[in-house]
Amino acid sequence: MLDADAITWMTDTVADAQATPHTIPKLTDTYPAMSIDDGYAVQDALLARWQKDGRVLVGLKAGLTSKAKMDQMGVTEPSFGMLMGDTLDPDGGVVPTDKLIHPRVEAEIAFVTKAELSGVDLPLEEIIAATDFVQPAIEIIDSRFEKFKFDLVSVIADNGSSARFVMGGRARRPLDIDLRTVGIVLEKNGEIVATASSGAVLGDPVRSVRMLVTWLHGRGRTLPAGSIVLTGGATEAIPVESGDAIVARYQDMGSISVRIG
Ligand code: OOG
Ligand code: MG
């Protein structure tokens, strides 16, 4: 692992890039030996600062969980990140972009849990039983790295490109729909820009929650009841700009729409 000074430097650099905002070179340009654990150490340090500022952790995001996303970003392993309550925007509302550099939107399935989940490779039934509801979500990602280009460890330190997210449409009990085959259509300004089946995420987005819980376990953590989990973009992410109208339609789960501010 890198030493504490290196983690502090990376945390300062990322926090500054997110706040201003501005782009920075990949962290591996400065620290080629940076590891996945170092990336998550930066996340831990960011969270400590954010909580000191009164920001609240409301859930976690898994990213790079579909082939479409992995191919787009050239990364073959998932990343996990934190969802802060103040980055949640309402369905039908406007996504603020004053802190965004080159935003992209993703259509995802969100899980909201009602019981604590912990352990390694949990049976999927256990995750379903602990799920209060599933719901359409649009994640607005933004990379602090130049040209939206990064490697796995750098994007982890940048909190998995987390920027804003929106939940809406129709919340469903997880046993009432087949989460492997929900058709998703993503539209920008009335044009279809991407389509997918929810099964594009690991065959079933519930597997993304399982993977997240396994990862948490490895870090001595659990997924608390009441957590939001974004399971990852089913399609590639679509660049957006100010004024764009985004709609994501989900089979049997309604639709969700936002305007980019
Ligand atoms: C990393 C975040 C990926 C997803 O849903 O796959 C992500 C990135 O592509 O910038 O949120
Ligand atoms: Mg995402």
Side-chain angles (χ1 to χ4, degrees):
M1 286 235 0
L2 297 175
D3 63 19
D5 283 351
I7 300 297
T8 302
W9 182 85
M10 292 194 286
T11 306
D12 289 343
T13 304
V14 169
D16 196 41
Q18 292 179 349
T20 319
H22 64 268
T23 57
I24 50 174
K26 293 194 307 290
L27 298 172
T28 43
D29 289 359
T30 308
Y31 290 105
M34 184 185 177
S35 67
I36 289 179
D37 283 347
D38 294 322
Y40 287 116
V42 173
Q43 276 195 24
D44 292 346
L46 286 170
L47 180 64
R49 291 181 189 195
W50 293 343
Q51 288 179 327
K52 228 160 118 199
D53 292 343
R55 300 180 68 190
V56 177
L57 182 70
V58 293
L60 295 165
K61 58 166 281 181
L64 306 166
T65 52
S66 66
K67 186 166 183 310
K69 279 290 310 185
M70 290 184 189
D71 288 352
Q72 182 181 28
M73 304 320 297
V75 177
T76 54
E77 278 173 84
S79 63
F80 304 104
M82 306 171 287
L83 295 174
M84 307 309 288
D86 54 289
T87 66
L88 176 60
D89 297 313
D91 187 7
V94 177
V95 174
T97 50
D98 50 319
K99 289 276 157 49
L100 305 187
I101 303 163
H102 36 205
R104 296 178 177 182
V105 294
E106 304 179 317
E108 308 204 10
I109 303 269
F111 281 62
V112 177
T113 61
K114 61 181 177 187
E116 185 184 40
L117 281 166
S118 81
V120 174
D121 294 338
L122 293 180
L124 298 180
E125 302 72 47
E126 193 175 328
I127 295 167
I128 293 293
T131 299
D132 194 2
F133 56 88
V134 290
Q135 198 175 10
I138 292 176
E139 184 177 23
I140 300 90
I141 54 170
D142 191 30
S143 179
R144 270 51 68 164
F145 298 114
E146 287 158 1
K147 300 196 163 81
F148 224 115
K149 290 225 159 54
F150 46 67
D151 43 39
L152 179 65
V153 293
S154 293
V155 73
I156 288 170
D158 188 25
N159 194 27
S161 307
S162 169
R164 316 287 311 174
F165 70 108
V166 180
M167 292 171 58
R170 186 168 163 212
R172 303 295 311 257
R173 302 280 171 217
L175 284 176
D176 289 347
I177 50 168
D178 184 347
L179 279 170
R180 299 167 302 178
T181 58
V182 177
I184 304 172
V185 177
L186 182 62
E187 296 176 7
K188 178 164 93 170
N189 303 326
E191 305 269 346
I192 295 175
V193 285
T195 58
S197 160
S198 55
V201 172
L202 302 170
D204 184 331
V206 71
R207 292 178 193 277
S208 183
V209 182
R210 169 161 73 180
M211 199 174 61
L212 171 70
V213 173
T214 300
W215 171 77
L216 285 169
H217 185 85
R219 298 176 56 82
R221 293 167 60 190
T222 65
L223 185 68
S227 295
I228 299 169
V229 177
L230 291 185
T231 54
T235 69
E236 61 178 47
I238 304 297
V240 290
E241 52 189 49
S242 246
D244 283 344
I246 303 300
V247 179
R249 302 183 194 282
Y250 291 66
Q251 179 187 2
D252 299 328
M253 296 179 81
S255 62
I256 175 172
S257 60
V258 284
R259 184 167 291 278
I260 306 301

